[in-house]
Amino acid sequence: MGKKDKKPDSLITENRKARFRYQVLETVEAGIVLEGWEVKSLREDGANVSDAYGVINGSEVFLLNLHISPYTKSRVIPGMETRTRKLLLNRKEINGLVGQVREKGRTLIPLKLYWNEAGRAKVLLGVCIGKQAHDKRETIKRRDEDRYIARVKKQFR
C-alpha cells in the first residue's frame, strides 16, 4: 500500500473521550518519529491514543503511552508498543507550548492521529484543562438535547 492508496487527511485513530474529559484551549499539529514497523502497523489501523499524553522535556516534546500494536510480520521487542515517541515541532511552537503547559492544570493530550497529504503520520495535540464533574454533566445534557431536537426535526420532514 503506497502513498497513493491513502486519502489525504485520513484518520488513523481519534481520542473520542478527550473532548468530554478535557476542555481544549488550543491545538497544534506535530509530526511524530516512528520506526518502520510502527508505520506499517498504523497503515493497518493498529493504534490507540486514549491513554497517551504529551510531555515537554527540556526543549523537546515527547508523546508517552501511545499504543501501536506490533506489526504481525515483524519481530518487535515486547514493551515497544508504548515506547516514548518524539514529536516534531518548530522552536516557536515548542516555546509557546512550554508557556501554556507551565500554567496550573494544563496538559498536552493527543486528540487524533492521521495521515497528511504527503502520507506522513501527524498527531493533533491539544493544550487541555481537565473538566469538573458539573462541566461533564452539562456536556451530557447538551448532547441529549441536540439528539432530541434532531429526532423531532426528523419526524416532521
Side-chain angles (χ1 to χ4, degrees), residues 41-87:
S41 181
L42 287 179
R43 295 217 183 270
E44 293 180 349
D45 296 328
N48 183 5
V49 294
S50 61
D51 295 331
Y53 60 97
V55 171
I56 299 173
N57 188 3
S59 61
E60 296 178 329
V61 182
F62 295 96
L63 194 60
L64 281 71
N65 288 345
L66 171 64
H67 185 274
I68 298 178
S69 301
Y71 184 59
T72 55
K73 298 174 184 168
S74 70
R75 287 188 242 166
V76 180
I77 300 167
M80 292 292 287
E81 297 93 7
T82 57
R83 72 179 183 88
T84 303
R85 293 171 177 90
K86 185 176 177 181
L87 297 179

Side-chain angles (χ1 to χ4, degrees), residues 1 6 10-13 32-49 66-71 85 113-115 120-122:
M1 187 182 297
K6 282 289 181 185
S10 61
L11 187 66
I12 298 169
T13 186
I32 184 167
V33 177
L34 298 170
E35 293 182 5
W37 67 269
E38 293 172 323
V39 175
K40 290 178 181 181
S41 181
L42 287 179
R43 295 217 183 270
E44 293 180 349
D45 296 328
N48 183 5
V49 294
L66 171 64
H67 185 274
I68 298 178
S69 301
Y71 184 59
R85 293 171 177 90
L113 192 61
Y114 59 95
W115 302 106
R120 296 208 164 84
K122 298 287 182 173

Side-chain angles (χ1 to χ4, degrees), residues 83-96:
R83 72 179 183 88
T84 303
R85 293 171 177 90
K86 185 176 177 181
L87 297 179
L88 305 172
L89 292 162
N90 293 331
R91 172 70 41 220
K92 192 184 249 186
E93 291 171 330
I94 293 172
N95 290 340

